[in-house]
Amino acid sequence: MQLLTFKSEDSSPLARDLAVIRGTFAAALREKGYRPSTIGVYVAVLCRAARLRARAGGSLVELRREDVLGLLRRLLGRRHDRHYSQTYSSPLHAWLKFYGRFAKPVPKVPWQSWLNDYAQFLTDVRGLAPITCTGYVSCARAFMDWQFGGKRAHWSRVLATDISRYGEQCAGAKRHKPSYVSCQLSALRQFLSFVHLQGACSAQLRYAVPRIFNYGQSSSSDFLTDRQRRCLLSSFALRSANGRRDHAMALCMVDLGFRAIEVARLRLSDLDWKRAELDVPAAKASRGRRLPLPRHVAQALRLYIDRWRPASVCPQVFMVHRAPSNRPVTTTVVRLALHRAYQRCGFPRDWCGTHRLRRTFATRLYARGINLKQIADLLGHRHLTTTTRYAQTDLTGLRAVAQPWPR
């Protein structure tokens, strides 16, 4: 990669930028486990960006997130290839993270306090997972922006017809599936219930939210057949660290019913090799549970831990195998690993997420005659109504044994 160089390194801001880039910033990358070649590319790109900023009378130390796009265009020039764009944007993002400016700024609106109190309520009172709280708050933000815009929130002026109109607008969006719209409106009901608890609105607003009936929610496509399960487990490259890790994570979800967040939180101390058991970390509102450890799952976990897992003091089982190292996987890493596996198997393009494997685990148990109470205990559910959505009936298999109707 050829980088343009400039000779205007006389200015004080430029000299300070170059000293930070080649000094503390490069040292921080080395501590995170970046390769020397990657560090060299990052330093070279940032040095060129610092010289460009110096020519414009600025400094790279003062770079903000909103300035990245313009600087990236100047760095790329006429090259708008995806490879070159990522080569230049990754160092800039790492630079912003180094100074703590990478996070998106929260828009300042008069009703932001409602969202802050709602997020604290979901965390402290309901005990929901952070990713669930983020989704609920995002739905609440969309409604508040639609209802109040940039003005203060006057709940006394909100009518039931406004709620119905917003629900009809969400249902009429052609780019969203009925299941997605149903979840959005359900989250809106939860938010309006919170507002009612605060004494700011009437309970009638919650009942004004329309309901979207998703008749395809319990279809047989929500779980894997035995053939699809075997195809999925055989799609991982077992000769690489990522392949071994993703294979073990998939086994935990499809044969033990793990959630993605439970996979990410699983610790080495949770595995009891002698008793062939493991403790599932607490997630959502559950307190965790203890499950038997099947032999094939134990072999996959032990092989990954002994041969492929990098040496680290991190207590989590599953680790990220690229820089920055010494950090556990996140739920996003788990979902992306399964999404890539779906693509390799040739599954439908709209298949995403990891709950399909959890439903597969429940459906296979239900087909073997296990009652719903036992399945609920294995899944960590507190209500049987939740388990009925997971344990489904294999209609395709029933058609194979169905007898013709007598005439």
Side-chain angles (χ1 to χ4, degrees):
M1 181 180 61
Q2 296 181 355
L3 300 175
L4 297 179
T5 59
F6 300 90
K7 298 182 179 180
S8 57
E9 298 186 10
D10 301 331
S11 60
S12 175
L14 178 58
R16 182 183 58 179
D17 290 345
L18 297 179
V20 174
I21 293 171
R22 296 165 179 169
T24 56
F25 177 74
L29 294 182
R30 284 192 293 269
E31 291 179 359
K32 292 182 178 180
Y34 282 84
R35 297 180 180 179
S37 59
T38 304
I39 297 176
V41 173
Y42 277 32
V43 169
V45 171
L46 290 176
C47 287
R48 182 189 173 191
R51 296 185 180 102
L52 285 175
R53 293 275 293 183
R55 293 184 62 185
S59 174
L60 195 64
V61 175
E62 301 172 354
L63 183 69
R64 301 290 179 178
R65 187 185 179 99
E66 54 269 18
D67 303 330
V68 171
L69 183 59
L71 181 58
L72 186 60
R73 291 175 178 173
R74 296 178 62 189
L75 287 171
L76 290 175
R78 296 182 179 180
R79 295 178 176 178
H80 296 284
D81 184 76
R82 181 179 179 183
H83 170 71
Y84 281 98
S85 177
Q86 186 175 3
T87 302
Y88 286 91
S89 61
S90 297
L92 295 177
H93 292 165
W95 179 259
L96 291 177
K97 293 178 182 178
F98 177 71
Y99 277 97
R101 303 183 189 135
F102 183 73
K104 294 182 179 179
V106 179
K108 296 181 180 180
V109 286
W111 36 263
Q112 181 62 38
S113 59
W114 281 100
L115 301 181
N116 298 337
D117 296 341
Y118 184 50
Q120 187 175 1
F121 170 79
L122 295 176
T123 304
D124 299 341
V125 179
R126 297 194 57 187
L128 300 181
I131 188 173
T132 307
C133 295
T134 302
Y136 278 173
V137 173
S138 177
C139 295
R141 180 184 296 277
F143 169 74
M144 296 287 285
D145 184 57
W146 179 87
Q147 180 67 39
F148 302 110
K151 302 178 181 180
R152 298 187 62 179
H154 295 283
W155 289 102
S156 59
R157 304 177 183 176
V158 181
L159 304 177
T161 54
D162 298 331
I163 305 297
S164 301
R165 190 156 45 91
Y166 177 77
E168 293 175 357
Q169 179 177 334
C170 294
K174 297 182 179 181
R175 64 181 183 275
H176 297 316
K177 295 182 178 180
S179 58
Y180 175 82
V181 177
S182 179
C183 292
Q184 296 292 105
L185 296 180
S186 177
L188 177 59
R189 293 189 196 94
Q190 299 291 335
F191 177 63
L192 293 178
S193 298
F194 166 76
V195 177
H196 173 63
L197 289 176
Q198 302 298 315
C201 72
S202 171
Q204 300 300 324
L205 294 183
R206 179 182 184 276
Y207 299 107
V209 180
R211 295 184 178 273
I212 304 297
F213 295 97
N214 181 23
Y215 296 101
Q217 184 176 3
S218 300
S219 64
S220 59
S221 61
D222 284 344
F223 63 90
L224 302 180
T225 62
D226 291 339
R227 182 178 180 181
Q228 291 173 337
R229 173 183 168 274
R230 292 192 298 268
C231 179
L232 176 70
L233 295 177
S234 62
S235 65
F236 299 99
L238 301 183
R239 295 184 179 181
S240 64
N242 285 335
R244 283 290 180 179
R245 181 200 63 189
D246 298 345
H247 178 257
M249 293 192 305
L251 282 175
C252 290
M253 288 181 283
V254 76
D255 287 350
L256 295 180
F258 273 42
R259 301 179 178 94
I261 190 172
E262 293 171 346
V263 171
R265 293 181 179 178
L266 184 65
R267 299 167 299 180
L268 296 172
S269 58
D270 295 331
L271 302 173
D272 191 345
W273 304 109
K274 295 182 179 180
R275 298 183 179 180
E277 296 177 347
L278 80 164
D279 294 324
V280 182
K284 289 191 173 181
S286 64
R287 299 180 180 178
R289 58 195 184 277
R290 193 170 183 86
L291 297 179
L293 185 59
R295 181 177 300 178
H296 67 287
V297 181
Q299 291 177 353
L301 289 172
R302 184 179 288 274
L303 185 61
Y304 167 71
I305 294 173
D306 294 342
R307 297 185 182 181
W308 300 96
R309 183 180 182 272
S312 174
V313 296
C314 185
Q316 278 74 18
V317 173
F318 300 107
M319 304 287 295
V320 176
H321 296 276
R322 60 179 178 83
S325 57
N326 295 328
R327 57 192 175 100
V329 299
T330 60
T331 54
T332 303
V333 175
V334 179
R335 293 189 182 94
L336 288 178
L338 266 297
H339 183 68
R340 290 191 293 266
Y342 293 159
Q343 292 179 337
R344 291 193 299 266
C345 294
F347 293 159
R349 294 183 178 181
D350 58 344
W351 281 23
C352 60
T354 59
H355 258 53
R356 191 178 305 274
L357 305 187
R358 189 167 159 87
R359 293 189 181 96
T360 302
F361 170 72
T363 302
R364 295 181 68 215
L365 293 179
Y366 189 65
R368 296 178 181 179
I370 308 299
N371 59 58
L372 291 178
K373 179 61 174 64
Q374 294 174 332
I375 299 176
D377 294 338
L378 294 176
L379 292 176
H381 290 162
R382 293 185 297 176
H383 304 286
L384 292 180
T385 54
T386 307
T387 310
T388 56
R389 302 174 184 174
Y390 286 76
Q392 303 171 11
T393 304
D394 187 2
L395 298 179
T396 305
L398 289 179
R399 292 190 185 98
V401 298
Q403 299 294 325
W405 186 262
R407 296 182 179 178

